[in-house]
Amino acid sequence: MIGQLEDILAQLIELRERAIAELEGITTSAQLDEWDTRYLGRNRGELKNISAVMPKLTKEERPVIGQKINTVKAALEQALKDRREALKQREMLQRLEQERLDVTLPGRTLPAGHMHPLSRVIQESTDIFVRMGFQIVQGPEVETDYYNFQALNVPTDHPARDMQDTFWVAPGEILLRTQTSPMQIRSMKRQRPPIRVVVPGKVYRNEALDASHEAVFHQIEGLLIDEYCTMADLKGVLERFAHEMFGPERRLRFRGSYFPFTEPSAEVDISCASCNGTGCRVCKYTGWLEVLGSGMVHPKVLREVGYDPAKYRGFAFGMGVERIAMLKYGVSDIRLFSGNDLRFLRQF
Ligand code: DAH
């Protein structure tokens, strides 16, 4: 049976070489599985077919062939494993290549907005007053006649109550506040002196609209009440505000005026920044620009909230935010602030 033995050994060598050669050409794992079944398959695998002759061999031949078969089997299994690993690596590289992500591509930037110029002026202004010890408070935009007018010593027949100027919700009773001054009354009723508050907020006026008048605009009210307080304190506070807001070279001018809730009252002008006070078109050749109204709180107002005017006194001021913003940024038309024109807003 020597011939048969050699024949089987030759078959095994041939099988091994053929199988390994074929393996080299395999490029997909499906082909690999197919190769696996064909050569190493338990049922009809080629190696299995060769082993089928074992029972016909002699006792001496069997271990020789058996060992050879095992070697070939181990070699094929190892080759299959290596090939599988190599394929896996290749497939991964391919996938990485295909799914390539260029992380260096510039991202899509989201347009970031910024603060509205009026919000900026409100924030900057109130910050200045907060540094001087004032507290920021806010109040209702829908007010009663009492807080908006009566308590502020605005008599019933005062022109400021004219139907032309006030947006009434319930005529004679409820209105859209025409000023932030009602918060003077609310603050004084809410707390006891010393009081130092600033009140930023919207106000409403039933007015004809033009480059310097809007029906809805903003004010910042200020109120200080203490046992000792003079007009010099008012001037000091407003000067500090003007210098921080508009620059240290600006000067203030107090002009005697009238407001029902202050006595004495003063309108405050700031030296024109365009001409430095020498006179130009911006300041209508006066050298000055009006920025706010102010005065010492009227004794009638103090009495109205239950304060003894002999013990407490104070000052109040009110400024138009749009006006401040127009002066600060050189804006010539108040309507630009509420127009939502991006060409305007992007300049800030
Ligand atoms: N409330 C006034 C207005 O809207 C402005 C004003 C003037 C406020 C004098 C004050 C003040 O607090 O003392 O025209």
Side-chain angles (χ1 to χ4, degrees):
M1 293 297 273
I2 266 305
Q4 198 186 8
L5 188 71
E6 276 169 356
D7 190 34
I8 294 172
L9 287 174
Q11 274 182 41
L12 280 171
I13 288 165
E14 187 273 335
L15 172 67
R16 176 180 161 153
E17 275 169 6
R18 181 158 47 84
I20 285 184
E22 204 173 297
L23 202 56
E24 303 287 305
I26 282 178
T27 52
T28 69
S29 47
Q31 286 175 318
L32 260 193
D33 292 340
E34 200 247 323
W35 181 95
D36 189 13
T37 342
R38 184 142 39 84
Y39 292 103
L40 295 167
R42 281 164 194 254
N43 277 333
R44 299 198 189 292
E46 287 200 29
L47 204 57
K48 193 78 192 170
N49 290 344
I50 294 178
S51 324
V53 302
M54 289 283 268
K56 293 183 195 148
L57 300 177
T58 63
K59 233 171 89 198
E60 292 75 33
E61 285 170 334
R62 250 179 251 156
V64 182
I65 294 298
Q67 204 187 28
K68 197 71 198 166
I69 286 176
N70 282 341
T71 321
V72 171
K73 189 173 177 220
L76 290 189
E77 275 169 354
Q78 186 58 46
L80 175 67
K81 212 175 122 197
D82 292 350
R83 190 70 196 149
R84 223 183 256 292
E85 191 53 40
L87 262 187
K88 223 169 88 183
Q89 290 287 342
R90 219 173 82 168
E91 278 170 9
M92 186 159 82
L93 283 175
Q94 258 171 11
R95 221 174 47 235
L96 285 177
E97 193 58 40
Q98 276 165 7
E99 297 170 8
R100 194 190 197 94
L101 189 68
D102 187 355
V103 292
T104 66
L105 270 178
R108 257 168 262 156
T109 47
L110 293 173
H114 61 76
M115 236 194 242
H116 190 279
L118 291 182
S119 306
R120 227 167 95 177
V121 165
I122 289 174
Q123 188 159 89
E124 269 183 52
S125 305
T126 51
D127 276 355
I128 294 169
F129 289 114
V130 164
R131 287 200 291 277
M132 288 190 268
F134 286 77
Q135 196 188 343
I136 302 171
V137 294
Q138 284 182 295
E141 290 171 22
V142 178
E143 259 296 4
T144 61
D145 179 88
Y146 172 77
Y147 284 109
N148 195 82
F149 290 133
Q150 232 162 277
L152 287 163
N153 192 32
V154 179
T156 321
D157 53 358
H158 195 279
R161 285 172 172 242
D162 200 306
M163 298 294 280
Q164 298 282 304
D165 290 331
T166 307
F167 285 115
W168 290 98
V169 176
E173 284 173 49
I174 299 170
L175 45 77
L176 298 183
R177 68 177 176 193
T178 60
Q179 49 188 358
T180 41
S181 307
M183 274 308 285
Q184 290 187 28
I185 307 298
R186 288 184 180 275
S187 303
M188 286 188 283
K189 284 195 173 185
R190 189 185 294 160
Q191 50 186 295
R192 297 270 102 190
I195 293 173
R196 272 175 294 187
V197 292
V198 280
V199 190
K202 271 197 189 76
V203 298
Y204 302 81
R205 297 229 183 132
N206 196 354
E207 281 184 318
L209 311 183
D210 61 29
S212 47
H213 294 89
E214 276 268 46
V216 183
F217 57 101
H218 299 77
Q219 289 188 335
I220 297 175
E221 191 81 13
L223 175 74
L224 182 146
I225 305 283
D226 210 335
E227 286 181 23
Y228 181 83
C229 172
T230 72
M231 205 137 182
D233 298 306
L234 170 65
K235 288 185 75 174
V237 165
L238 291 180
E239 234 155 50
R240 162 63 79 81
F241 166 75
H243 288 164
E244 293 206 18
M245 198 65 185
F246 295 103
E249 61 288 346
R250 299 271 69 79
R251 281 161 292 129
L252 287 187
R253 178 174 79 171
F254 286 69
R255 251 183 313 108
S257 183
Y258 171 79
F259 297 103
F261 38 89
T262 44
E263 184 58 37
S265 301
E267 275 178 297
V268 181
D269 301 336
I270 188 168
S271 58
C272 178
S274 300
C275 60
N276 206 20
T278 56
C280 66
R281 258 182 58 227
V282 175
C283 57
K284 301 201 180 83
Y285 302 97
T286 62
W288 298 95
L289 294 157
E290 191 193 320
V291 281
L292 54 88
S294 65
M296 303 305 290
V297 178
H298 201 293
K300 275 194 182 171
V301 173
L302 293 173
R303 249 180 254 121
E304 179 64 37
V305 295
Y307 290 6
D308 178 1
K311 186 170 183 199
Y312 293 115
R313 66 214 71 212
F315 63 73
F317 58 86
M319 58 180 103
V321 174
E322 281 79 356
R323 176 137 191 93
I324 302 280
M326 287 167 87
L327 294 178
K328 194 172 164 76
Y329 301 123
V331 177
S332 55
D333 193 323
I334 193 172
R335 292 167 292 193
L336 286 165
F337 291 114
S338 55
N340 278 340
D341 188 333
L342 287 176
R343 290 169 302 178
F344 170 71
L345 294 174
R346 285 198 177 119
Q347 294 178 50
F348 295 92

